[in-house]
Amino acid sequence: MSDPGRRILLGRIHGAFGVRGELKLESFADPPERIFRYQPWLLRDAHGRERELSGAHGRETAKGIVARFPDIDDRDAADALRGAELWVPRSVLPPPGPGEYYWVDLEGLRVETVDGAPLGRVAYLFETGANDVLVARDDARERMIPFITPDYVRSVDFDAGVVVVDWDPEF
């Protein structure tokens, strides 16, 4: 199902929190504080430089996730990491539950209608608040399909590499 070399963006550093070297994190884990379970992280700075990071810990506050990294002891050092991304190998994440999917595992799968008409491949997914949306892209166009099962997304078959949707190919 997943490529063992594939990486997942798990969070982003928004800057310093206080004066003792703590950092404000945006976590894409669910729940957000679970981000600390999936270490080591690959820390990628705004210039594309990467390094492995282990031993981070933190807490959830009313203002979001606050973290402490090894060797970051003051506000300036913490603020220097603003914009850095936290990546992990897909293989460290637990398997999804029945009927659940990691978006990264869906990306690249073929998208077909229930009648077998090709709609392209899954380019990406995004949230709208009401529901998630699957974006199928081929050479000619992009289609935005609500990721609502079983209304629009009828099945996901990783072995066959296909997502079957109930969608009008002309829409």
Side-chain angles (χ1 to χ4, degrees):
M1 178 183 350
S2 65
D3 175 355
R6 192 169 230 185
R7 295 178 181 168
I8 307 292
L9 178 61
L10 202 57
R12 187 171 289 116
I13 299 172
H14 284 288
F17 181 86
V19 296
R20 296 187 192 131
E22 291 183 307
L23 301 119
K24 294 183 285 189
L25 294 187
E26 177 182 12
S27 171
F28 304 129
D30 185 23
E33 67 274 7
R34 192 168 287 166
I35 192 171
F36 297 105
R37 291 187 187 178
Y38 308 119
Q39 294 184 54
W41 295 331
L42 182 69
L43 181 68
R44 181 181 299 154
D45 71 18
H47 302 290
R49 295 180 299 244
E50 299 178 344
R51 69 177 171 102
E52 190 173 284
L53 176 72
S54 293
H57 60 280
R59 66 193 185 284
E60 188 166 15
T61 70
K63 294 186 177 189
I65 299 294
V66 174
R68 165 88 57 200
F69 289 4
D71 302 325
I72 302 295
D73 297 322
D74 62 51
R75 182 175 184 82
D76 291 337
D79 209 42
L81 292 174
R82 180 184 304 269
E85 298 173 334
L86 306 169
W87 292 80
V88 295
R90 166 62 182 88
S91 59
V92 304
L93 300 178
E100 296 178 341
Y101 309 97
Y102 286 113
W103 288 359
V104 70
D105 293 341
L106 298 170
E107 292 172 0
L109 296 180
R110 291 186 331 273
V111 181
E112 297 177 354
T113 68
V114 291
D115 298 324
L119 299 180
R121 293 194 174 271
V122 177
Y124 60 95
L125 293 99
F126 65 91
E127 294 180 63
T128 65
N131 56 267
D132 298 334
V133 175
L134 178 149
V135 177
R137 182 182 296 151
D138 62 18
D139 293 334
R141 63 190 290 192
E142 232 180 40
R143 293 175 180 86
M144 295 184 193
I145 303 167
F147 199 95
I148 300 173
T149 60
D151 298 348
Y152 301 109
V153 176
R154 293 294 179 90
S155 65
V156 176
D157 186 338
F158 288 105
D159 293 330
V162 66
V163 177
V164 176
V165 296
D166 188 356
W167 198 253
D168 182 348
E170 298 304 315
F171 187 69

